[in-house]
Amino acid sequence: MRVHPAPVTGEVADRMRKRRGGNLTPLDEALLHSEPFADGWNNLLGAVRTEMALPGDIREMAICRIAELNGAQYEWRAHAPLALREGLTVEQLAALREGGDTAALNELQTLVLQYTDAMTSNVTVADALSDRVHSMLGTRGFVELTGTIAAYNMVSRFLVALHIGQVQEAEESEATA
């Protein structure tokens, strides 16, 4: 990790701990170097994860695809089990890997994959694709999907830039070698 863990005391750390069910993650320990940033992050990601109407399988599908595209394996390891719990099959989860077989995805999932790819890799999204996603999810779902993709691109870029979770990845590679 490019920054050492911050002190994990105080009101912001307590709010983060509460959202996480009692524990802080290495991501939280990096964020807490700036309490205003950490607090805003906690509020935004808390809303994305627990307060929106976007179906959990669609949310986790987008998050896992972003992790794959941006090389954020820490994020993949955190969200792949959640995607399975939210109803994705092992085959659907595998389809989110680059070059994965997308035959297991339904029409909405295929559109979400394409929309996530466009937002993550190109930033701009073709009108025809946006219109199809919007028509399938409705306005609220479309806005929530777009916000989720934007938020988790922020997460993955923060993780990758600060090498959060990379030491653990190296240790896991050595343990399985």
Side-chain angles (χ1 to χ4, degrees), residues 58 61 96 102-117 129 132-133 136:
I58 298 300
M61 179 185 167
L96 304 179
T102 59
L105 302 179
N106 65 34
E107 181 184 5
L108 175 58
Q109 292 168 334
T110 300
L111 288 172
V112 168
L113 181 70
Q114 292 169 354
Y115 191 72
T116 303
D117 285 4
L129 177 56
R132 288 184 67 204
V133 173
M136 290 198 77

Side-chain angles (χ1 to χ4, degrees), residues 7 46 67 80 82 85-86 90 105 134:
L82 297 173
R85 272 186 284 216
E86 290 289 348
V90 171
L105 302 179
H134 190 176

Side-chain angles (χ1 to χ4, degrees), residues 76-130:
W76 178 276
R77 286 193 315 271
H79 286 272
L82 297 173
L84 294 171
R85 272 186 284 216
E86 290 289 348
L88 287 182
T89 66
V90 171
E91 294 79 16
Q92 290 168 331
L93 187 61
L96 304 179
R97 293 293 198 178
E98 288 197 73
D101 180 4
T102 59
L105 302 179
N106 65 34
E107 181 184 5
L108 175 58
Q109 292 168 334
T110 300
L111 288 172
V112 168
L113 181 70
Q114 292 169 354
Y115 191 72
T116 303
D117 285 4
M119 279 190 65
T120 302
S121 299
N122 305 326
V123 182
T124 59
V125 180
D127 289 342
L129 177 56
S130 289

Side-chain angles (χ1 to χ4, degrees), residues 25-153:
T25 67
L27 170 60
D28 300 327
E29 292 170 347
L31 289 165
L32 282 163
H33 281 286
S34 171
E35 286 192 345
F37 187 60
D39 207 24
W41 181 292
N42 190 52
N43 288 328
L44 172 63
L45 276 293
V48 169
R49 299 267 306 121
T50 64
E51 297 178 26
M52 297 194 311
L54 186 70
D57 63 325
I58 298 300
R59 178 191 66 238
E60 296 303 325
M61 179 185 167
I63 293 168
C64 287
R65 181 60 174 181
I66 292 161
E68 174 69 10
L69 292 174
N70 290 340
Q73 289 308 306
Y74 178 90
E75 187 172 45
W76 178 276
R77 286 193 315 271
H79 286 272
L82 297 173
L84 294 171
R85 272 186 284 216
E86 290 289 348
L88 287 182
T89 66
V90 171
E91 294 79 16
Q92 290 168 331
L93 187 61
L96 304 179
R97 293 293 198 178
E98 288 197 73
D101 180 4
T102 59
L105 302 179
N106 65 34
E107 181 184 5
L108 175 58
Q109 292 168 334
T110 300
L111 288 172
V112 168
L113 181 70
Q114 292 169 354
Y115 191 72
T116 303
D117 285 4
M119 279 190 65
T120 302
S121 299
N122 305 326
V123 182
T124 59
V125 180
D127 289 342
L129 177 56
S130 289
D131 292 346
R132 288 184 67 204
V133 173
H134 190 176
S135 71
M136 290 198 77
L137 290 176
T139 300
R140 180 175 177 170
F142 181 60
V143 168
E144 289 182 352
L145 175 63
T146 303
T148 298
I149 295 167
Y152 274 88
N153 267 291

